[in-house]
Amino acid sequence: MKIFAVGKNYLLHNKEMDGALYKPEAPVIFTKADSALLKDGKPFFLPDDLGRIDYETEIVVRICRLGKSIPERFAHRYYDAVTVGIDFTARDLQRRLKDQGLPWELSKGFDGSAAIGEWVEKEKLLNVQALHFHLDINGQTVQEGCTSDMLYKIDELISYISRWFTLKTGDLLYTGTPAGVGPVSVDDHLEGWIEERKVLQFNVK
C-alpha cells in the first residue's frame, strides 16, 4: 500500500505558506511511508522532538484497481471512495529542510502522520469535485475547503501520478489542503467532516 500526497494544490494555501497566489507548473507529489497511516480513531501521539506539528485537512481517495499511465478521461474508474484525512506536518523541520534545499519527507512521513477517516462510497456523493469539507478542533471549525477549488483535480492527479508509479488497489491519495492550517496540542479532539457527515475523529495525546 502506497500513500501519495499533493502539495500546493489550493491557491489560498499557497499564499498562506509562500506569500503569493500561484499554481505550480505540475502537481507537487510526495509520498508517506505505510507506517504513517493512522486509522480507526486511534490517537495521534504528538512527537516531542519535532517542534510544531500542524494539521492539514484533506480529501483522500481510495484506489480500487491496478493502473499505469492512466488517461485522464478514464481516471474516475480507478477510485471508489473518499474520506477526510489529516496530513500532519512537522512545520519547523520542514522549513529547515526547505531552507537547505533538502527533501522534506522527514517532516511529512513520520509515524502517525497520515490520519484517515471512514470511507464514503463515491456513488453516494453527487460530485466528488464539489465536496465541502472541514475540520473541527474541540468543537470549533478551524479549517474548511471545497474540492472545486483544487488547482489540479482528482482525475488529473491520478493520471499524472500513474505516469511514474503503478497504482494498486488500496493505495491512498491525499489531494492537498486548503488555507487554514495550524498547530495541534496535547488533549485536542479532532473531527473531520464531508458535507454534513462526520467521517473522522480522534484525540491528540
Side-chain angles (χ1 to χ4, degrees):
M1 185 270 290
K2 301 183 291 298
I3 303 174
F4 299 100
V6 183
K8 305 179 185 298
N9 204 27
Y10 286 81
L11 274 179
L12 293 179
H13 175 61
N14 295 346
K15 183 176 182 180
E16 119 182 299
M17 299 305 296
D18 299 328
L21 296 170
Y22 68 94
K23 179 178 180 178
E25 292 184 4
V28 177
I29 306 299
F30 60 96
T31 60
K32 289 175 175 269
D34 58 2
S35 58
L37 193 64
L38 181 69
K39 58 182 182 178
D40 302 326
K42 293 179 180 177
F44 173 68
F45 289 93
L46 198 65
D48 56 9
D49 59 346
L50 293 182
R52 169 173 164 163
I53 304 295
D54 281 1
Y55 58 81
E56 296 190 6
T57 312
E58 315 195 1
I59 289 293
V60 185
V61 301
R62 182 178 68 192
I63 302 300
C64 63
R65 60 193 295 186
L66 186 73
K68 173 69 175 175
S69 298
I70 302 164
E72 185 180 329
R73 66 185 184 278
F74 297 137
H76 65 279
R77 302 177 181 177
Y78 286 82
Y79 60 101
D80 63 351
V82 303
T83 190
V84 167
I86 306 293
D87 167 22
F88 282 114
T89 302
R91 191 68 70 198
D92 297 334
L93 175 59
Q94 185 189 42
R95 290 194 178 107
R96 289 199 301 272
L97 293 169
K98 283 184 174 181
D99 288 345
Q100 297 173 49
L102 297 173
W104 32 274
E105 275 80 2
L106 290 177
S107 68
K108 288 282 194 175
F110 57 91
D111 288 354
S113 63
I116 196 166
E118 300 173 1
W119 294 106
V120 180
E121 299 300 319
K122 186 172 65 172
E123 287 72 20
K124 295 181 180 178
L125 302 167
L126 290 176
N127 182 357
V128 296
Q129 211 57 73
L131 292 176
H132 291 87
F133 60 99
H134 68 274
L135 175 70
D136 293 353
I137 297 183
N138 304 326
Q140 299 294 320
T141 298
V142 296
Q143 189 179 20
E144 52 191 331
C146 183
T147 56
S148 62
D149 294 328
M150 287 180 179
L151 298 174
Y152 290 99
K153 308 305 185 186
I154 294 170
D155 290 356
E156 292 179 88
L157 295 170
I158 288 174
S159 177
Y160 182 82
I161 291 169
S162 72
R163 291 165 55 187
W164 285 274
F165 300 93
T166 297
L167 298 180
K168 296 183 178 181
T169 300
D171 287 349
L172 305 179
L173 172 59
Y174 283 65
T175 57
T177 192
V181 303
V184 291
S185 303
V186 173
D187 294 329
D188 280 346
H189 180 67
L190 278 65
E191 297 176 319
W193 301 73
I194 295 178
E195 302 292 350
E196 302 303 318
R197 186 193 303 254
K198 183 164 66 175
V199 295
L200 173 71
Q201 63 175 334
F202 63 97
N203 296 315
V204 178
K205 293 190 175 181

